[in-house]
Amino acid sequence: MPGQFSSSDRPALLGGKAVCDFPWPVWPVHDQTEESQLLEVLRSGQWWYGEKVRRFEREFAAFQGAAYGVTCTNGTTAIEMGLRALGIVAGDEVIVPPYTFIATATAAVTIGAVPVFADIDPETLCLDPDDATRKISSRSRAIIPVHVAGRIADMARINELAEAHNLTVLEDAAHAWGSQYDGRGAGTLGRCGTFSFQVSKNITAGEGGILITDDKDLADLCRSFSHCGRTEGSEWYDHYNLGSNLRITEFQAAILLAQLARLEEQVARRQLSAALLDETLSNIPAIRQLAPAPGMARRSYHMYIFRLNQTELGISRGRFLEALHAEGVPASEGWYRPLYRNGVFADAHIGPPHGIRSPLAGMGVDYRDVSCPVCEEVCSDAVWIPHNVLLADEPQILRLAEAIRKVVANAPALRQST
Ligand SMILES: *Cc1c(COP(=O)(O)O)cnc(C)c1O
């Protein structure tokens, strides 16, 4: 129980007793509901893109507060489909942050557009509207804010600059199922928003994605792109648009419906855990907490992030995490590194012979010149606690905080023993 461990106890890494000597909640969460819904689909023989898919689209769109939802194979194809439906074409520039999953940027490349990286805000880790403004050129057509870890980007300012420069806004909301800003759901704050249901996400069917919007024409176009170019009411073999097959199955929809029924409660649970961590980690000088998110009464946490002041702490993030793992806390440095450092961009593995003939190849875009200093700093000092951990109960979250305090308090001993 909390308080049972004094921070001066010997770190588990140096032979002491681990603070978190219990298992964390396992992800994905599933129960009888998934089982019976899956069996129902199996036995019905209706496996293909039917009533359950449509029901999930309606229910998820309504959960986020949007009029329409169009499912697709994953969060990556959702962005590609959305950009195409928004009229983004080869050679257009799309402003994206570099602190996100690779798909935010590569989706633009896949449709022939050019991602232009703008830095993030050090307090929110989301796109910095000031740097985004600096990155606007005569070729800019779209902007993709990412709601990192479930925190909504500064959409007021992003929409403002989008309007001023005639850009269209697609929200990559792949961490923001359930997040709301001033009562409005993530994905409804720009022209459209995209979500992922891949297995690491807070609601999952193994794979899956959706685009939501209030714009019926945009939704219809996305439906067509995802459904082999068919249009509403068209003959089966009448393919009006250039589409692909991005459909999901009734099996996936059955699982997603069961997961969706649990989402609100899980969002609340993680939010309580995050609030508890905000409070219990608030007066540790080596821990730099992110700014609070006013206006976000409901906020999903794909992960809980804080930043480490390694100079203040006296040990590296690597050593800190090593000690934290020994205490039983599965924290990590996060998966992200500045996207422009990945081979696909830095080594220009985009044009032939790498597969996609992109205008990038001929435009003299050299991503080795790109620098987003805030993103680079965050990549070197962020600590992530994954969302399954945030589903733990209050005493366990208090122990987690205790483990962090213990490692911080023992930093001198941990330094000497390296
Ligand atoms: C997961 C993720 C995606 C891509 O989703 P997939 O379903 O894995 O294709 C896009 N953007 C962000 C921010 C993500 O976390």
Side-chain angles (χ1 to χ4, degrees):
M1 285 299 105
Q4 179 183 345
F5 295 85
S6 132
S7 342
S8 58
D9 281 348
R10 187 206 296 264
L13 189 61
L14 305 180
K17 185 172 167 355
V19 177
C20 300
D21 55 353
F22 49 84
W24 295 102
V26 172
W27 189 258
V29 170
H30 57 91
D31 63 18
Q32 200 48 47
T33 328
E34 275 86 350
E35 285 186 27
S36 60
Q37 302 244 31
L38 270 177
L39 262 181
E40 188 192 313
V41 172
L42 182 76
R43 288 178 178 147
S44 72
Q46 308 290 313
W47 295 358
W48 188 78
Y49 204 56
E51 188 37 48
K52 280 195 162 41
V53 172
R54 296 307 162 108
R55 202 179 114 209
F56 175 73
E57 289 174 337
R58 281 193 304 273
E59 291 188 11
F60 186 80
F63 184 69
Q64 295 298 129
Y68 307 99
V70 179
T71 47
C72 56
T73 44
N74 55 62
T76 307
T77 54
I79 302 172
E80 293 167 10
M81 171 175 94
L83 287 174
R84 285 191 63 211
L86 290 167
I88 307 306
V89 296
D92 288 349
E93 289 182 0
V94 178
I95 296 172
V96 297
Y99 194 69
T100 171
F101 183 61
I102 192 78
T104 313
T106 50
V109 179
T110 300
I111 66 153
V114 181
V116 173
F117 293 100
D119 212 342
I120 55 170
D121 180 292
E123 298 298 333
T124 69
L125 312 189
C126 298
L127 190 66
D128 169 9
D130 290 323
D131 201 43
T133 307
R134 285 190 283 273
K135 300 295 163 65
I136 292 173
S137 82
S138 58
R139 285 195 295 261
S140 307
R141 294 288 177 270
I143 182 162
I144 309 184
V146 179
H147 304 315
V148 175
R151 186 202 169 103
I152 305 262
D154 186 348
M155 291 304 293
R157 291 204 49 216
I158 289 167
N159 282 330
E160 216 174 86
L161 76 91
E163 198 160 323
H165 299 271
N166 207 15
L167 311 178
T168 182
V169 179
L170 180 154
E171 300 168 69
D172 181 344
H175 297 179
W177 331 255
S179 280
Q180 290 181 340
Y181 183 79
D182 275 350
R184 292 179 58 198
T188 71
L189 303 159
R191 284 284 307 282
C192 61
T194 58
F195 296 80
S196 164
F197 307 122
Q198 187 265 348
V199 76
S200 70
K201 312 296 173 148
N202 299 24
I203 157 172
T204 181
E207 296 283 2
I210 196 169
L211 177 143
I212 62 170
T213 182
D214 286 333
D215 180 336
K216 176 157 196 316
D217 292 342
L218 193 69
D220 286 347
L221 206 47
C222 287
R223 175 79 61 203
S224 181
F225 289 165
S226 66
H227 193 28
C228 310
R230 296 186 175 98
T231 48
E232 180 107 35
S234 68
E235 294 294 324
W236 194 245
Y237 286 110
D238 182 14
H239 306 276
Y240 184 78
N241 289 308
L242 174 60
S244 187
N245 173 3
L246 307 179
R247 295 178 303 250
I248 64 170
T249 65
E250 291 288 280
F251 294 107
Q252 286 165 286
I255 295 179
L256 287 170
L257 282 164
Q259 297 262 308
L260 183 58
R262 235 179 258 120
L263 184 59
E264 187 147 19
E265 184 194 320
Q266 289 175 338
V267 169
R269 175 76 252 155
R270 292 188 184 102
Q271 211 171 334
L272 281 175
S273 299
L276 201 54
L277 289 174
D278 282 347
E279 192 188 315
T280 48
L281 303 177
S282 67
N283 53 2
I284 306 175
I287 288 182
R288 177 172 170 189
Q289 294 182 305
L290 302 179
M296 291 194 67
R298 195 167 83 187
R299 174 176 173 187
S300 80
Y301 277 86
H302 184 42
M303 53 266 190
Y304 181 90
I305 306 181
F306 60 83
R307 299 180 59 188
L308 206 58
N309 184 334
Q310 292 156 93
T311 315
E312 172 79 36
L313 183 60
I315 56 173
S316 70
R317 178 176 61 175
R319 187 69 175 157
F320 172 81
L321 288 170
E322 202 185 344
L324 212 49
H325 292 163
E327 300 297 340
V329 177
S332 77
E333 58 185 40
W335 313 306
Y336 296 161
R337 55 183 170 143
L339 288 193
Y340 48 83
R341 293 272 171 82
N342 283 278
V344 59
F345 294 115
D347 304 329
H349 287 168
I350 290 173
H354 295 285
I356 287 178
R357 186 172 293 279
S358 160
L360 279 177
M363 280 173 62
V365 182
D366 189 341
Y367 286 99
R368 285 170 304 187
D369 296 339
V370 176
S371 159
C372 294
V374 177
C375 174
E376 288 171 26
E377 202 182 302
V378 170
C379 287
S380 74
D381 68 12
V383 173
W384 290 12
I385 295 169
H387 66 84
N388 64 302
V389 165
L390 301 177
L391 290 176
D393 61 24
E394 188 176 319
Q396 292 173 323
I397 296 295
L398 286 172
R399 288 242 228 147
L400 192 163
E402 184 55 36
I404 293 173
R405 289 186 165 279
K406 182 180 168 191
V407 170
V408 170
N410 282 285
L414 287 160
R415 184 175 54 233
Q416 274 159 22
S417 67
T418 36

